[in-house]
Structure formats: structure tokens, C-alpha cells
Amino acid sequence: MASETLREARKYEEMTQVQITQEERPAFHLSPRVGWMNDPNGFSYYQGMYHMFYQYHPYSSYWGPMHWGHAVSRDLLHWEYLPAALAPDMPYDKDGCFSGSAVTLPDGSQMLLYTGVLHEPQPDGSFREAQTQCIAIGDGRDYEKLPGNPVLTENDLPEGGSRYDFRDPKVWTMQDGRYYCVAGNCTADKDGQILLYSSADGLHWQYENILAKNNGRFGRMWECPDFFELDGKWVLLTSPQDMLPRGFEYHNGNGTLCLVGTYDREHHAFVEEADQAIDYGIDFYAPQTVLAPDGRRIMIGWMQNWDTCNMRSQPKKWFGQMSLPRELSIRDGRLYQWPIRELEQLRCNKAEYRGVKVADGIVRLEGVAGRQVDLELEIRPAGLEETDRAPGAESLAEAGRADRQAGTDMYRKFAVRFAQDTEHHTAVSFRPHESILKIDRKFSGSRRAIIHQRRSLVSHDRGRLRLRIILDRFSAEIFVGDGEQVLTATIDTPLGAEGISFYADGEVVLDVVKYDLQ
């Protein structure tokens, strides 16, 4: 039976939801039913539906005592809200039900494994959040918290592990039927680590090992881990706090980290081989994945960042949204991401242009506009047109001449501007001589000095670059090449700003394929 706290939250969200129209929400990105949303939780496939729970404060559009919101979908693009699944209503979680995950039990019920938070008074009069791991079991709509909660406490931490930073369990099952979960933790001096636990029945857990240690490399506390096998490698995703940039990696402070490597199941040892940021834009955090019934590994993140989420120029009925679901793969030791193929079912009103020349100015194309758009671009310098087609250019000398010709005609900058009217636009620009791709939203309508730009170092072929830009009403996601990099940003531009234009400093040849997404 639902507690009074949960019943009140459900009643409030049902009454308040009617104040938000569909036009005020993203078209195909999940937003909160009401109030505030942050981390994705319990991303799972259960009883023929995808389930997404999320960190949730229904009573305002600002962070508050954490509940779990709940929505379901058949295609990950059209979502139906269900009543809130969890509320902070027990002695061990009365100050918040923090992030966690979901798994199906042998009897067909769904288990939620989450972090319970309790504010503990300190000798100096302050409070700290003691964190434990807790279980709720249900039928896909209603969940009962386990009488034996919490199931993991400070007694299950390795020596030196902080009980105040012990959270975000991600659970899965191995082929032998045994359950495993990873949880974020840090040492007393705030150095992050990922802990591994196992269970025979999903209810009784034991500590196995420290799966990964930061050792001062990537920020401090490591949050929201996920661990899975993909294309013959093992992938550890986590969201470190307080990261320092390294070259063009890890610029978001509270950002995202992907470690690719191998896993020794017998000794529970993960060996890192490569690291990278997961997203190179402004707004992406705390991603979580699900293994789809067809074998795809699909990831969704919170499409926001902690440093700007409370800097708003006007009140909002809701705040926070999830990223576009992305299919993951590993190629040459690197994580690739691509929009889920279901998105193509929303395409309509195709507009296609080939060989458009943009020279030292701006070009607009008829039929290329809108705020719900799937836009595919190939950019190349004008000189590359002839050198690519020159017959017999097979010797090193001829190839060198072709490269020099392309260099002579190399454009200095290309930009695509969208969500554009006379006052507003957001831009993605590329400078081939520097190999830098930048997203810039300083003209998107913000009245606060928030983060407006991110830059990424990208590979290209003599100035040739392919981009796929997915626009929803309040966001842009830019996929580079085949998905080797992604840049994500939210925008708060008036919906009447629908223009799209192309700019070149120098001469660019452009192929454009645009679809509306409905």
C-alpha cells in the first residue's frame, strides 16, 4: 500500500499536469510529468515496455527531496506517464530516494535498487547525507519497499570508503543467473571509486571488489556508474564531479567519463585500455543504459548540467529533460553513439540539396527550417570536388598535389545556425585548420551569463565533415561522422524562431538532407 507521502505526490502530479500543454514540452524527449527532473533511474525493459524512472521533485521546478518519477514507452520516443513510483517515506530514506536501477526477478516482479538518504547531524551543527542501498519490488506500477531495508550499508564498504558518498547502484544479471551491481563511492579525501557487489537472489548482497579507482585522474567523487559488455569489450560509464579539463576532453566540471577495457570475471578485475568523454557539449550527465530485446545497448542521459540548472531568467512549469536515446557500439576501442533507429519513423517532409555552394556569406534553402528536425550535412571545400574526381591520381606525387590544391581552397570556417530569427540563433561551427567543432548558444535567448560554448577536437578528411543534427523544441544534439563524438545542448529560444541558415568564410560545397520529425 502506498504511503501517505507517495499518495500526496501522486495526487499533486495528477492535478498539476493539466497545467502543462503538450506544446510546452519537448516533442520526443522525456520531460518530468511536473516539477523537476534529473538523473535517469531504473532504465529497463519490463512486460513489453521500456520503463524510465527519474530523479523527481514534483512540487517545484527546482531540486528538492527526491522522489522517483515514472514513464513508459514502446519506442523510447513517445512516453506515457505513470504515477510516481517512490517517495521519501521511510526512516532510512526520509531525506531522499536517490538514483538506482531496475531488474526483473525470477517470479516476474520488478525490483528497484536505489539509494536511501538520511541527513545526519554533525558535531559542528551541520548535516551530512548518510547513504545506503535499498530495494522496492513491484508490478511495473506500484512498488513495496523491502522490510529488510537497507540491504547495503557502511558495513559493506571497503576500508576507507565514505558512507556519505555511496550511491547510484546499477544492477544486472550474468548468464549464470547471479546478480551484480556497481555503485559510486569515494575515499575520505574525495577520490572516486566504483564498487562491485554480487547476490544470488537480488535481495542479499555481498561486497566483491573495487572495480575501478580514480587515483586522482578524473575529478573527485564518481557518480552514476554503469558497467556492461559491448562488442567484445567491457565499458564503464560514470559521472565524475569537479573534473579538470585535459586538452579538449572533460570540460564540463561535473561531466561524463567512458572507460573501455577488459573484465576478468573470476577475479572481478576491470583493466582500463582507453578513456574518453561521453558527450562534448554543454548538457549531458548521469547516463544509464538498457539492453533492448533485440540486443542493442541503448543509452539515455540527463540533458542538463549542474552548473547552470538554477540560473533561469523566468519561472518554469517543469525543468529537466532526457537526451535522445542512443545506440552504442565500440569501434577501434572508442565508444560510438547514434540516434536510435526508431527516430527515422518520425521523419516526413524531406528536403534534399546536393552540391550547394556557400561562399563568403550566408545561404538559406527553401524547405530547410523548423524546431523538430533531423538534419544531415556533408561539408567539403570547393577544391576537393575536382581533386576527388581526378582520374589516375594514384601516385604519391599526384596525391600530394591534390592535397595541396585542397589546402589552397580550404575554407576558414563553416557554420550552421538554427532556432533562428532576427534576434536569436544557436550555431554549430567548424574550423578545418584547427579541427575544432564548436556549439554556441549565446544568442539563444538566455538572459544569464551561463555556459554558452563547448569545443571539440574532431577528425576530418581535408575539410570534409559529416554532421547529423537533431533538433527538438528545447535542445540540439550534434552527431559527428558516424557517431564518434556527440555535442548536446539545451536551448530556451522562443518556438517561433525556426530559421536554419548556412555560413562560410571561404567556399564550401554542401550536401543537405532535412526531415521534419513529427
Side-chain angles (χ1 to χ4, degrees):
M1 177 181 293
S3 68
E4 180 64 23
T5 305
L6 184 57
R7 288 197 300 271
E8 286 298 318
R10 289 178 166 186
K11 181 179 178 181
Y12 181 86
E13 63 181 1
E14 186 174 348
M15 292 174 54
T16 309
Q17 178 186 354
V18 298
Q19 300 174 14
I20 307 173
T21 66
Q22 288 300 314
E23 291 72 27
E24 294 175 293
R25 296 185 178 277
F28 49 89
H29 290 76
L30 178 63
S31 59
R33 189 174 184 181
V34 298
W36 163 281
M37 163 193 282
N38 60 287
D39 304 355
N41 296 161
F43 189 19
S44 53
Y45 188 81
Y46 179 66
Q47 294 183 344
M49 302 282 281
Y50 291 99
H51 288 248
M52 177 61 78
F53 305 84
Y54 51 89
Q55 291 290 271
Y56 185 39
H57 185 227
Y59 300 110
S60 83
S61 61
Y62 290 85
W63 193 96
M66 283 292 98
H67 299 56
W68 273 35
H70 191 188
V72 294
S73 176
R74 295 192 183 278
D75 63 1
L76 295 168
L77 299 169
H78 301 89
W79 293 92
E80 174 191 352
Y81 293 112
L82 295 183
L86 298 176
D89 53 17
M90 299 298 287
Y92 50 80
D93 68 10
K94 70 182 185 66
D95 294 306
C97 299
F98 278 16
S99 291
S101 51
V103 70
T104 303
L105 296 176
D107 66 0
S109 60
Q110 188 179 42
M111 182 186 81
L112 310 182
L113 182 61
Y114 71 98
T115 298
V117 177
L118 177 63
H119 289 167
E120 285 189 351
Q122 303 297 303
D124 63 0
S126 64
F127 287 85
R128 296 190 72 181
E129 296 176 343
Q131 300 175 352
T132 58
Q133 313 318 313
C134 310
I135 285 175
I137 297 176
D139 59 3
R141 185 181 181 93
D142 298 300
Y143 298 84
E144 292 286 337
K145 294 177 181 178
L146 202 68
N149 277 337
V151 298
L152 287 170
T153 69
E154 60 184 306
N155 297 326
D156 303 291
L157 288 170
E159 183 178 356
S162 171
R163 61 193 293 261
Y164 301 110
D165 289 290
F166 176 35
R167 56 184 175 269
D168 313 333
K170 177 63 193 295
V171 62
W172 74 96
T173 54
M174 288 290 200
Q175 292 178 344
D176 61 4
R178 192 166 181 84
Y179 299 84
Y180 289 85
C181 83
V182 285
N185 187 234
C186 67
T187 59
D189 61 354
K190 289 286 188 179
D191 199 30
Q193 57 190 13
I194 302 300
L195 309 181
L196 179 68
Y197 296 86
S198 73
S199 171
D201 60 3
L203 307 179
H204 303 87
W205 291 85
Q206 66 183 41
Y207 169 73
E208 293 290 353
N209 198 11
I210 299 176
L211 186 69
K213 291 184 178 182
N214 183 27
N215 293 323
R217 297 171 297 158
F218 306 107
R220 307 182 82 177
M221 167 64 184
W222 284 8
E223 297 189 303
C224 304
D226 200 346
F227 189 55
F228 51 88
E229 191 172 14
L230 182 65
D231 297 331
K233 293 292 183 181
W234 279 82
V235 178
L236 177 62
L237 308 181
T238 187
S239 296
Q241 296 178 331
D242 302 320
M243 301 177 81
L244 290 172
R246 182 197 296 172
F248 284 88
E249 301 275 347
Y250 315 123
H251 280 221
N252 270 0
N254 295 320
T256 55
L257 171 67
C258 171
L259 299 174
V260 179
T262 60
Y263 177 53
D264 180 345
R265 300 189 189 190
E266 182 180 354
H267 298 97
H268 304 299
F270 174 62
V271 178
E272 301 171 22
E273 297 175 347
D275 67 87
Q276 66 180 89
I278 300 172
D279 194 284
Y280 292 81
I282 303 170
D283 295 302
F284 191 84
Y285 195 73
Q288 195 169 98
T289 72
V290 66
L291 186 62
D294 60 9
R296 288 177 293 166
R297 178 64 62 171
I298 299 173
M299 179 181 71
I300 291 180
W302 181 42
M303 196 158 56
Q304 192 52 247
N305 77 83
W306 282 114
D307 292 319
T308 64
C309 60
N310 290 322
M311 301 176 69
R312 310 177 207 166
S313 55
Q314 57 188 4
K316 292 183 177 295
K317 297 178 182 178
W318 59 269
F319 185 82
Q321 53 187 315
M322 297 302 179
S323 72
L324 190 70
R326 304 171 184 180
E327 299 180 15
L328 303 184
S329 60
I330 297 291
R331 305 183 204 175
D332 300 322
R334 184 174 181 85
L335 181 72
Y336 278 63
Q337 307 167 56
W338 199 245
I340 54 165
R341 61 199 67 175
E342 287 85 346
L343 187 69
E344 296 172 14
Q345 302 303 313
L346 306 187
R347 287 174 164 181
C348 61
N349 302 329
K350 180 179 180 181
E352 183 173 5
Y353 295 85
R354 300 289 177 183
V356 176
K357 289 194 175 182
V358 186
D360 294 316
I362 297 172
V363 168
R364 294 178 175 85
L365 300 174
E366 185 175 355
V368 179
R371 289 286 286 274
Q372 297 168 220
V373 167
D374 189 343
L375 185 65
E376 298 175 350
L377 306 177
E378 183 178 296
I379 308 129
R380 55 194 179 274
L384 202 61
E385 294 283 285
E386 289 73 26
T387 60
D388 275 355
R389 295 171 183 167
E394 297 174 354
S395 71
L396 289 175
E398 289 171 319
R401 282 195 295 272
D403 283 345
R404 286 192 296 276
Q405 175 65 32
T408 300
D409 297 333
M410 183 66 72
Y411 58 96
R412 290 165 292 280
K413 177 182 176 181
F414 168 82
V416 53
R417 295 167 179 165
F418 48 84
Q420 185 175 23
D421 60 15
T422 56
E423 296 182 10
H424 307 94
H425 70 264
T426 296
V428 174
S429 61
F430 178 58
R431 295 182 181 272
H433 291 289
E434 300 172 350
S435 300
I436 289 177
L437 185 72
K438 180 173 74 172
I439 186 164
D440 185 343
R441 65 178 181 193
K442 64 177 173 285
F443 296 110
S444 66
S446 170
R447 297 179 185 271
R448 295 289 181 268
I450 65 173
I451 300 167
H452 288 313
Q453 300 178 355
R454 281 286 182 264
R455 299 187 303 162
S456 177
L457 193 66
V458 302
S459 61
H460 60 98
D461 176 18
R462 293 175 294 166
R464 186 196 299 269
L465 185 69
R466 288 183 295 112
L467 302 174
R468 184 176 177 188
I469 301 175
I470 308 297
L471 305 181
D472 201 347
R473 293 169 178 152
F474 307 106
S475 64
E477 291 161 277
I478 295 86
F479 294 81
V480 180
D482 294 320
E484 55 264 34
Q485 288 173 260
V486 189
L487 292 83
T488 300
T490 58
I491 57 175
D492 195 22
T493 311
L495 294 180
E498 295 188 328
I500 297 175
S501 63
F502 307 97
Y503 165 83
D505 180 0
E507 189 170 354
V508 168
V509 176
L510 185 64
D511 294 342
V512 180
V513 182
K514 165 262 175 185
Y515 300 90
D516 291 331
L517 296 171
Q518 294 182 359

